[in-house]
Amino acid sequence: MSKQATIAAQTPFARAVVTGDLDALEQVVAPGSIDHDPATGQGPGPEGYKVMFAELRSAFPDLNVEVEHLLATDDELTFAYIISGTHLGELMGHPRTGRKVMYRGMQISRFDSDGKLVERWGSSDELGMLRQLGLAETH
């Protein structure tokens, strides 16, 4: 794949997450795709991503992801992003707070020659998000 094809492969994944059309992940994630930094209870492949993002979108129905920096190779895409949203649903067993959050993250995605996601490494400031919601102590 080319760098542009790698960027194009990530676009439908991002669209599915932001719009909540999580069934679309079936088309862009390889069945055995591995997330090296999975959420609690997240399994492999498209189903694992659907479970993870369904919980996040349920907690933050207005979820938005803004890419700040992007670097692409022929099969990998690395990007820094900001997640924002309003906590209007249960999250990790905590009831809604109605508070808005904004926190950073980074991700590396690797794609196969068909443009399907086969591996993901990622990290986001989950502690910062929980602090903004008043669900973790600030020091």
Side-chain angles (χ1 to χ4, degrees), residues 1 9 12-13 22 33 35 40 45 51 57 78 80 91-92 98 106 110 113 120 132:
M1 290 187 358
F13 184 96
L22 301 180
S33 179
D35 189 334
T40 303
V51 167
R57 291 210 38 86
T78 302
L91 177 69
M92 299 176 196
M106 296 185 79
R110 189 173 70 79
S113 59
R120 177 199 169 273
Q132 290 175 52

Side-chain angles (χ1 to χ4, degrees), residues 33-81:
S33 179
I34 298 169
D35 189 334
H36 294 282
D37 301 298
T40 303
Q42 179 186 346
E47 287 303 316
Y49 288 104
K50 286 164 75 171
V51 167
M52 176 182 64
F53 287 116
E55 179 182 5
L56 193 60
R57 291 210 38 86
S58 176
F60 301 98
D62 61 345
L63 179 78
N64 188 50
V65 180
E66 178 185 337
V67 175
E68 287 193 306
H69 185 78
L70 181 85
L71 179 63
T73 70
D74 290 342
D75 68 344
E76 292 182 332
L77 189 69
T78 302
F79 55 99
Y81 56 86

Side-chain angles (χ1 to χ4, degrees), residues 60-66 82-86 100-103:
F60 301 98
D62 61 345
L63 179 78
N64 188 50
V65 180
E66 178 185 337
I82 295 176
I83 294 177
S84 61
T86 310
K100 293 188 180 294
V101 296
M102 183 180 288
Y103 59 101

